[in-house]
Amino acid sequence: KINAAFSYGGPSLTIQTVEQLTGVHIDHIAIVDFTSFIALTDIVGGVDLTTTEGTEHYNGEEALDFVRERYSLPSGDFDRVRRQQAWVKAVLEKLMTPDVLSSPSNLMQIYNSLKDYISVDDGLGVTKLIDLGTSLRGVSSENITMLTAPYAGTDTSDDGQSIVLLDMDTLAEVSKPFQSDTVESWV
């Protein structure tokens, strides 16, 4: 379980676990906890998320409740993942505008607003983040595809934990474009 890797060994064991599972090298990591999730959502002015009642606007606290819910959802954790992906896309829509991405000063302002709320690895400092932001100028949120690891079902581990059974053959096929940096053509 990836969350167990984080609990027992922090970011380094999590990275090692994902790299061994997928064969894909992880360049950088950013950690967003509940406090930073709320702050990030509020910094971008809230997000619009689609529900069964239509599109609704959520502030940080409301968005956190929305993405953490699983018990009332038909597909439980899998629906929760879809909600989390929708939140990521909604935040990126707010951040990936020409006004933001074409202005190093706007990127710096966003960085200064977020730096106390998000932990990043040592190699992902302000200069690298600004460079990454400006490199995304030609990318729109419509060009972002969210993926979930292919799975074969769920089960319970020997020690009673709920687990997702990965479809390892399909995961190997999905990992290849990430390993060879050809994801864009694969998608």
Side-chain angles (χ1 to χ4, degrees), residues 47-51 54-58 63 66-67 83 86-88 90:
V47 292
D48 296 327
L49 299 169
T50 302
T51 70
T55 300
E56 296 186 31
H57 188 79
Y58 291 89
F66 179 80
V67 302
R83 285 179 169 209
W87 174 83
V88 168

Side-chain angles (χ1 to χ4, degrees), residues 11-36:
S12 60
L13 184 58
T14 305
I15 291 169
Q16 180 183 356
T17 301
V18 172
E19 287 181 342
Q20 286 178 354
L21 186 64
T22 63
V24 177
H25 174 71
I26 305 296
D27 292 320
H28 298 287
I29 187 169
I31 300 171
V32 178
D33 64 11
F34 294 145
T35 302
S36 55

Side-chain angles (χ1 to χ4, degrees), residues 10 14 48 50 86 102 110 116 124 130 134 164 174 176:
T14 305
D48 296 327
T50 302
S102 64
I110 290 170
D116 295 332
L124 197 56
I130 298 294
T134 56
V164 174
V174 170
K176 286 178 186 175

Side-chain angles (χ1 to χ4, degrees), residues 114-129:
L114 296 176
K115 70 181 179 182
D116 295 332
Y117 300 104
I118 297 176
S119 299
V120 297
D121 64 80
D122 292 337
L124 197 56
V126 64
T127 303
K128 185 76 169 178
L129 285 167

Side-chain angles (χ1 to χ4, degrees), residues 50-81:
T50 302
T51 70
T52 54
E53 289 81 39
T55 300
E56 296 186 31
H57 188 79
Y58 291 89
N59 67 25
E61 291 276 351
E62 295 163 338
L64 181 61
D65 288 342
F66 179 80
V67 302
R68 291 191 72 206
E69 179 56 43
R70 66 180 170 185
Y71 296 112
S72 70
L73 303 174
S75 296
D77 282 330
F78 298 107
D79 283 339
R80 181 169 64 170
V81 167

